[in-house]
Amino acid sequence: MGDKASGAGTVTRLSLGGCEMESQTKVMEGMLFNLHLQPSDVSPAIAVETAIVRSVRPPLAGLEFLRTSSPEQFRLIQYVAGLLTAHRQVD
């Protein structure tokens, strides 16, 4: 799949299929990344083996998760479900 880019950013939206990331790293549609999502209350980071940039609106980039191992996918599901539960409790 070619070389993967590297950089750092802040996830501003998260779903099971991807995320929106704010970053000063210059990205272009079609670029591939290995992601390590590090929520403040989760250790170790949730690893996404391959994500692709689907949209760019600097400083935001929309990423689609293409490949995640089963254990990491399960951790992502648990984390997103926890966010949804916390959001419902606030409402």
Side-chain angles (χ1 to χ4, degrees):
M1 289 179 77
D3 292 334
K4 294 180 183 168
S6 64
T10 301
V11 172
T12 57
R13 294 174 189 240
L14 177 65
S15 72
L16 297 177
C19 67
E20 180 180 75
M21 180 179 72
E22 182 174 345
S23 177
Q24 298 306 312
T25 302
K26 184 177 180 177
V27 299
M28 297 182 310
E29 289 183 23
M31 289 178 78
L32 299 174
F33 284 88
N34 292 328
L35 289 182
H36 298 278
L37 304 171
Q38 186 61 69
S40 58
D41 58 343
V42 176
S43 183
I46 299 168
V48 175
E49 292 175 26
T50 306
I52 188 169
V53 178
R54 291 294 187 193
S55 65
V56 179
R57 294 181 329 266
L60 300 174
L63 305 177
E64 177 186 358
F65 302 155
L66 298 179
R67 186 177 305 133
T68 306
S69 70
S70 293
E72 294 300 300
Q73 181 69 26
F74 181 72
R75 292 180 65 225
L76 179 61
I77 291 168
Q78 287 183 308
Y79 182 71
V80 170
L83 290 175
L84 292 171
T85 301
H87 181 70
R88 286 190 192 124
Q89 291 175 355
V90 171
D91 291 343

PDB file of all heavy atoms in Angstrom, residues 57-77:
ATOM      1  N   ARG A  57      -9.759  19.928   5.083  1.00  0.00           N
ATOM      2  CA  ARG A  57     -10.170  21.322   5.261  1.00  0.00           C
ATOM      3  C   ARG A  57      -9.257  21.884   6.343  1.00  0.00           C
ATOM      4  O   ARG A  57      -9.619  21.853   7.519  1.00  0.00           O
ATOM      5  CB  ARG A  57     -11.638  21.418   5.703  1.00  0.00           C
ATOM      6  CG  ARG A  57     -12.643  20.952   4.686  1.00  0.00           C
ATOM      7  CD  ARG A  57     -14.082  21.094   5.178  1.00  0.00           C
ATOM      8  NE  ARG A  57     -14.282  20.946   6.611  1.00  0.00           N
ATOM      9  CZ  ARG A  57     -14.609  19.806   7.225  1.00  0.00           C
ATOM     10  NH1 ARG A  57     -14.775  18.698   6.550  1.00  0.00           N
ATOM     11  NH2 ARG A  57     -14.783  19.777   8.527  1.00  0.00           N
ATOM     12  N   PRO A  58      -8.055  22.321   5.975  1.00  0.00           N
ATOM     13  CA  PRO A  58      -7.051  22.716   6.963  1.00  0.00           C
ATOM     14  C   PRO A  58      -7.640  23.600   8.064  1.00  0.00           C
ATOM     15  O   PRO A  58      -8.432  24.479   7.759  1.00  0.00           O
ATOM     16  CB  PRO A  58      -6.008  23.476   6.140  1.00  0.00           C
ATOM     17  CG  PRO A  58      -6.152  22.903   4.761  1.00  0.00           C
ATOM     18  CD  PRO A  58      -7.620  22.613   4.615  1.00  0.00           C
ATOM     19  N   PRO A  59      -7.301  23.333   9.307  1.00  0.00           N
ATOM     20  CA  PRO A  59      -6.359  22.313   9.786  1.00  0.00           C
ATOM     21  C   PRO A  59      -6.995  20.955  10.042  1.00  0.00           C
ATOM     22  O   PRO A  59      -6.422  20.119  10.729  1.00  0.00           O
ATOM     23  CB  PRO A  59      -5.853  22.922  11.084  1.00  0.00           C
ATOM     24  CG  PRO A  59      -7.060  23.626  11.642  1.00  0.00           C
ATOM     25  CD  PRO A  59      -7.782  24.177  10.424  1.00  0.00           C
ATOM     26  N   LEU A  60      -8.204  20.685   9.497  1.00  0.00           N
ATOM     27  CA  LEU A  60      -8.901  19.425   9.748  1.00  0.00           C
ATOM     28  C   LEU A  60      -8.730  18.443   8.600  1.00  0.00           C
ATOM     29  O   LEU A  60      -8.663  18.830   7.440  1.00  0.00           O
ATOM     30  CB  LEU A  60     -10.393  19.684   9.963  1.00  0.00           C
ATOM     31  CG  LEU A  60     -10.756  20.602  11.124  1.00  0.00           C
ATOM     32  CD1 LEU A  60     -12.249  20.876  11.121  1.00  0.00           C
ATOM     33  CD2 LEU A  60     -10.320  19.996  12.444  1.00  0.00           C
ATOM     34  N   ALA A  61      -8.677  17.172   8.956  1.00  0.00           N
ATOM     35  CA  ALA A  61      -8.623  16.105   7.967  1.00  0.00           C
ATOM     36  C   ALA A  61      -9.578  15.004   8.399  1.00  0.00           C
ATOM     37  O   ALA A  61      -9.633  14.651   9.585  1.00  0.00           O
ATOM     38  CB  ALA A  61      -7.207  15.545   7.847  1.00  0.00           C
ATOM     39  N   GLY A  62     -10.345  14.485   7.452  1.00  0.00           N
ATOM     40  CA  GLY A  62     -11.239  13.366   7.719  1.00  0.00           C
ATOM     41  C   GLY A  62     -10.545  12.070   7.347  1.00  0.00           C
ATOM     42  O   GLY A  62     -10.077  11.911   6.220  1.00  0.00           O
ATOM     43  N   LEU A  63     -10.442  11.165   8.310  1.00  0.00           N
ATOM     44  CA  LEU A  63      -9.743   9.899   8.108  1.00  0.00           C
ATOM     45  C   LEU A  63     -10.722   8.734   8.191  1.00  0.00           C
ATOM     46  O   LEU A  63     -11.599   8.721   9.059  1.00  0.00           O
ATOM     47  CB  LEU A  63      -8.660   9.696   9.170  1.00  0.00           C
ATOM     48  CG  LEU A  63      -7.624  10.807   9.326  1.00  0.00           C
ATOM     49  CD1 LEU A  63      -6.673  10.481  10.461  1.00  0.00           C
ATOM     50  CD2 LEU A  63      -6.852  10.994   8.039  1.00  0.00           C
ATOM     51  N   GLU A  64     -10.569   7.775   7.295  1.00  0.00           N
ATOM     52  CA  GLU A  64     -11.346   6.539   7.347  1.00  0.00           C
ATOM     53  C   GLU A  64     -10.420   5.428   7.824  1.00  0.00           C
ATOM     54  O   GLU A  64      -9.305   5.272   7.311  1.00  0.00           O
ATOM     55  CB  GLU A  64     -11.892   6.194   5.966  1.00  0.00           C
ATOM     56  CG  GLU A  64     -12.655   4.893   5.934  1.00  0.00           C
ATOM     57  CD  GLU A  64     -13.083   4.477   4.547  1.00  0.00           C
ATOM     58  OE1 GLU A  64     -12.825   5.218   3.568  1.00  0.00           O
ATOM     59  OE2 GLU A  64     -13.661   3.382   4.423  1.00  0.00           O
ATOM     60  N   PHE A  65     -10.881   4.642   8.791  1.00  0.00           N
ATOM     61  CA  PHE A  65     -10.101   3.511   9.276  1.00  0.00           C
ATOM     62  C   PHE A  65     -10.264   2.353   8.294  1.00  0.00           C
ATOM     63  O   PHE A  65     -11.370   1.885   8.066  1.00  0.00           O
ATOM     64  CB  PHE A  65     -10.566   3.073  10.664  1.00  0.00           C
ATOM     65  CG  PHE A  65     -10.496   4.158  11.715  1.00  0.00           C
ATOM     66  CD1 PHE A  65     -11.319   4.114  12.821  1.00  0.00           C
ATOM     67  CD2 PHE A  65      -9.618   5.221  11.611  1.00  0.00           C
ATOM     68  CE1 PHE A  65     -11.267   5.089  13.802  1.00  0.00           C
ATOM     69  CE2 PHE A  65      -9.550   6.215  12.579  1.00  0.00           C
ATOM     70  CZ  PHE A  65     -10.385   6.140  13.679  1.00  0.00           C
ATOM     71  N   LEU A  66      -9.159   1.901   7.703  1.00  0.00           N
ATOM     72  CA  LEU A  66      -9.201   0.807   6.733  1.00  0.00           C
ATOM     73  C   LEU A  66      -8.879  -0.542   7.346  1.00  0.00           C
ATOM     74  O   LEU A  66      -9.452  -1.556   6.964  1.00  0.00           O
ATOM     75  CB  LEU A  66      -8.227   1.078   5.577  1.00  0.00           C
ATOM     76  CG  LEU A  66      -8.485   2.308   4.728  1.00  0.00           C
ATOM     77  CD1 LEU A  66      -7.411   2.424   3.650  1.00  0.00           C
ATOM     78  CD2 LEU A  66      -9.870   2.256   4.098  1.00  0.00           C
ATOM     79  N   ARG A  67      -7.927  -0.561   8.268  1.00  0.00           N
ATOM     80  CA  ARG A  67      -7.489  -1.837   8.833  1.00  0.00           C
ATOM     81  C   ARG A  67      -7.174  -1.656  10.318  1.00  0.00           C
ATOM     82  O   ARG A  67      -6.359  -0.820  10.682  1.00  0.00           O
ATOM     83  CB  ARG A  67      -6.254  -2.352   8.110  1.00  0.00           C
ATOM     84  CG  ARG A  67      -5.850  -3.750   8.561  1.00  0.00           C
ATOM     85  CD  ARG A  67      -4.654  -4.302   7.804  1.00  0.00           C
ATOM     86  NE  ARG A  67      -4.894  -4.274   6.365  1.00  0.00           N
ATOM     87  CZ  ARG A  67      -4.019  -3.821   5.478  1.00  0.00           C
ATOM     88  NH1 ARG A  67      -2.861  -3.372   5.862  1.00  0.00           N
ATOM     89  NH2 ARG A  67      -4.301  -3.842   4.198  1.00  0.00           N
ATOM     90  N   THR A  68      -7.857  -2.473  11.121  1.00  0.00           N
ATOM     91  CA  THR A  68      -7.629  -2.494  12.566  1.00  0.00           C
ATOM     92  C   THR A  68      -7.695  -3.946  13.007  1.00  0.00           C
ATOM     93  O   THR A  68      -8.591  -4.675  12.580  1.00  0.00           O
ATOM     94  CB  THR A  68      -8.725  -1.686  13.312  1.00  0.00           C
ATOM     95  OG1 THR A  68      -8.791  -0.377  12.749  1.00  0.00           O
ATOM     96  CG2 THR A  68      -8.427  -1.561  14.780  1.00  0.00           C
ATOM     97  N   SER A  69      -6.770  -4.378  13.833  1.00  0.00           N
ATOM     98  CA  SER A  69      -6.805  -5.765  14.308  1.00  0.00           C
ATOM     99  C   SER A  69      -8.062  -5.976  15.154  1.00  0.00           C
ATOM    100  O   SER A  69      -8.635  -5.029  15.702  1.00  0.00           O
ATOM    101  CB  SER A  69      -5.558  -6.087  15.131  1.00  0.00           C
ATOM    102  OG  SER A  69      -5.601  -5.393  16.367  1.00  0.00           O
ATOM    103  N   SER A  70      -8.494  -7.219  15.269  1.00  0.00           N
ATOM    104  CA  SER A  70      -9.710  -7.529  16.039  1.00  0.00           C
ATOM    105  C   SER A  70      -9.629  -7.046  17.486  1.00  0.00           C
ATOM    106  O   SER A  70     -10.580  -6.429  17.976  1.00  0.00           O
ATOM    107  CB  SER A  70     -10.002  -9.031  15.999  1.00  0.00           C
ATOM    108  OG  SER A  70     -10.350  -9.416  14.690  1.00  0.00           O
ATOM    109  N   PRO A  71      -8.510  -7.280  18.199  1.00  0.00           N
ATOM    110  CA  PRO A  71      -8.447  -6.787  19.581  1.00  0.00           C
ATOM    111  C   PRO A  71      -8.526  -5.253  19.657  1.00  0.00           C
ATOM    112  O   PRO A  71      -9.177  -4.698  20.550  1.00  0.00           O
ATOM    113  CB  PRO A  71      -7.096  -7.293  20.094  1.00  0.00           C
ATOM    114  CG  PRO A  71      -6.722  -8.425  19.198  1.00  0.00           C
ATOM    115  CD  PRO A  71      -7.340  -8.114  17.870  1.00  0.00           C
ATOM    116  N   GLU A  72      -7.884  -4.569  18.723  1.00  0.00           N
ATOM    117  CA  GLU A  72      -7.915  -3.108  18.737  1.00  0.00           C
ATOM    118  C   GLU A  72      -9.296  -2.586  18.331  1.00  0.00           C
ATOM    119  O   GLU A  72      -9.778  -1.591  18.871  1.00  0.00           O
ATOM    120  CB  GLU A  72      -6.831  -2.526  17.826  1.00  0.00           C
ATOM    121  CG  GLU A  72      -5.423  -2.818  18.307  1.00  0.00           C
ATOM    122  CD  GLU A  72      -5.125  -2.253  19.687  1.00  0.00           C
ATOM    123  OE1 GLU A  72      -5.212  -1.034  19.877  1.00  0.00           O
ATOM    124  OE2 GLU A  72      -4.813  -3.061  20.587  1.00  0.00           O
ATOM    125  N   GLN A  73      -9.958  -3.277  17.401  1.00  0.00           N
ATOM    126  CA  GLN A  73     -11.319  -2.904  17.011  1.00  0.00           C
ATOM    127  C   GLN A  73     -12.243  -3.032  18.218  1.00  0.00           C
ATOM    128  O   GLN A  73     -13.097  -2.176  18.455  1.00  0.00           O
ATOM    129  CB  GLN A  73     -11.808  -3.781  15.856  1.00  0.00           C
ATOM    130  CG  GLN A  73     -13.207  -3.444  15.383  1.00  0.00           C
ATOM    131  CD  GLN A  73     -13.296  -2.094  14.679  1.00  0.00           C
ATOM    132  OE1 GLN A  73     -12.322  -1.611  14.111  1.00  0.00           O
ATOM    133  NE2 GLN A  73     -14.459  -1.497  14.711  1.00  0.00           N
ATOM    134  N   PHE A  74     -12.087  -4.088  18.988  1.00  0.00           N
ATOM    135  CA  PHE A  74     -12.897  -4.287  20.192  1.00  0.00           C
ATOM    136  C   PHE A  74     -12.656  -3.159  21.194  1.00  0.00           C
ATOM    137  O   PHE A  74     -13.607  -2.622  21.785  1.00  0.00           O
ATOM    138  CB  PHE A  74     -12.585  -5.653  20.820  1.00  0.00           C
ATOM    139  CG  PHE A  74     -13.400  -5.935  22.050  1.00  0.00           C
ATOM    140  CD1 PHE A  74     -14.753  -6.225  21.941  1.00  0.00           C
ATOM    141  CD2 PHE A  74     -12.820  -5.896  23.295  1.00  0.00           C
ATOM    142  CE1 PHE A  74     -15.517  -6.480  23.074  1.00  0.00           C
ATOM    143  CE2 PHE A  74     -13.570  -6.155  24.433  1.00  0.00           C
ATOM    144  CZ  PHE A  74     -14.922  -6.448  24.321  1.00  0.00           C
ATOM    145  N   ARG A  75     -11.408  -2.762  21.377  1.00  0.00           N
ATOM    146  CA  ARG A  75     -11.087  -1.656  22.295  1.00  0.00           C
ATOM    147  C   ARG A  75     -11.707  -0.348  21.804  1.00  0.00           C
ATOM    148  O   ARG A  75     -12.228   0.444  22.590  1.00  0.00           O
ATOM    149  CB  ARG A  75      -9.567  -1.501  22.437  1.00  0.00           C
ATOM    150  CG  ARG A  75      -8.922  -2.679  23.155  1.00  0.00           C
ATOM    151  CD  ARG A  75      -7.421  -2.526  23.294  1.00  0.00           C
ATOM    152  NE  ARG A  75      -7.139  -1.385  24.150  1.00  0.00           N
ATOM    153  CZ  ARG A  75      -6.225  -0.449  23.886  1.00  0.00           C
ATOM    154  NH1 ARG A  75      -5.494  -0.526  22.781  1.00  0.00           N
ATOM    155  NH2 ARG A  75      -6.027   0.548  24.704  1.00  0.00           N
ATOM    156  N   LEU A  76     -11.669  -0.124  20.477  1.00  0.00           N
ATOM    157  CA  LEU A  76     -12.280   1.075  19.905  1.00  0.00           C
ATOM    158  C   LEU A  76     -13.792   1.062  20.146  1.00  0.00           C
ATOM    159  O   LEU A  76     -14.378   2.076  20.535  1.00  0.00           O
ATOM    160  CB  LEU A  76     -11.966   1.167  18.413  1.00  0.00           C
ATOM    161  CG  LEU A  76     -12.553   2.356  17.661  1.00  0.00           C
ATOM    162  CD1 LEU A  76     -12.037   3.686  18.225  1.00  0.00           C
ATOM    163  CD2 LEU A  76     -12.238   2.257  16.180  1.00  0.00           C
ATOM    164  N   ILE A  77     -14.429  -0.080  19.926  1.00  0.00           N
ATOM    165  CA  ILE A  77     -15.872  -0.202  20.177  1.00  0.00           C
ATOM    166  C   ILE A  77     -16.190   0.109  21.629  1.00  0.00           C
ATOM    167  O   ILE A  77     -17.134   0.858  21.922  1.00  0.00           O
ATOM    168  CB  ILE A  77     -16.370  -1.616  19.786  1.00  0.00           C
ATOM    169  CG1 ILE A  77     -16.323  -1.798  18.268  1.00  0.00           C
ATOM    170  CG2 ILE A  77     -17.773  -1.882  20.332  1.00  0.00           C
ATOM    171  CD1 ILE A  77     -16.506  -3.233  17.810  1.00  0.00           C
TER     172      ILE A  77
END
